[in-house]
Amino acid sequence: MTDERPPSELFQERLKVARDLRKWSQGDLANRAGMPPSSIAHFESGSRKPSFETLRRLANALEVTTDFLLGRVDDPSLAEAGDPLFRDIGKLTGHDRELAKDFLKMLAERTQAKNKEKEG
């Protein structure tokens, strides 16, 4: 079921969701996108709307697609094409691709184990 709200309303929510997924503060995102932290606060509150250039910079910084930020796709995992890591893996073939998958799996498991240590 698609959300029928206008993209401008969805954007403010999606921007915060994408930022939270990265575990970044508004200041972190602002630094990565090359803009003042107050701009991120305005976008998330809905008091300002981004220009096309700003939308592109935010999507690049968050490594998601503009489609996710605008509500055209609902699942951030569907925005994998916007992640440089996924683009680079797509260029690998055969054995190198398997090595990359194994390495990423190992890193993910290591991160998961560290998170469990922190919780317990």
Side-chain angles (χ1 to χ4, degrees):
M1 188 165 108
T2 358
D3 195 322
E4 297 301 320
R5 290 180 293 166
S8 58
E9 282 182 29
L10 286 170
F11 170 76
Q12 67 190 76
E13 184 180 300
R14 293 296 181 87
L15 181 63
K16 182 165 178 17
V17 165
R19 184 175 60 75
D20 288 346
L21 281 172
R22 298 282 182 245
K23 295 181 174 29
W24 292 346
S25 68
Q26 290 180 343
D28 293 333
L29 175 56
N31 287 337
R32 292 168 191 265
M35 58 187 63
S38 60
S39 293
I40 306 301
H42 287 298
F43 296 144
E44 288 185 2
S45 72
S47 62
R48 276 200 212 146
K49 295 176 181 25
S51 67
F52 288 123
E53 174 59 21
T54 299
L55 179 63
R56 185 188 64 76
R57 286 169 48 194
L58 290 168
N60 286 343
L62 289 161
E63 296 182 345
V64 298
T65 63
T66 54
D67 280 350
F68 174 74
L69 291 177
L70 294 175
R72 291 175 44 104
V73 297
D74 291 332
D75 185 350
S77 67
L78 294 178
E80 289 173 350
D83 188 329
L85 183 60
F86 285 92
R87 284 196 302 266
D88 291 342
I89 286 176
K91 296 173 188 170
L92 300 176
T93 57
H95 183 68
D96 288 347
R97 191 177 177 94
E98 289 303 313
L99 282 172
K101 282 173 37 183
D102 290 344
F103 185 69
L104 290 172
K105 183 178 177 187
M106 184 264 313
L107 288 175
E109 288 169 354
R110 189 176 82 175
T111 300
Q112 208 171 22
K114 284 182 183 177
N115 289 340
K116 282 184 181 177
E117 285 176 18
K118 287 180 188 175
E119 292 171 4

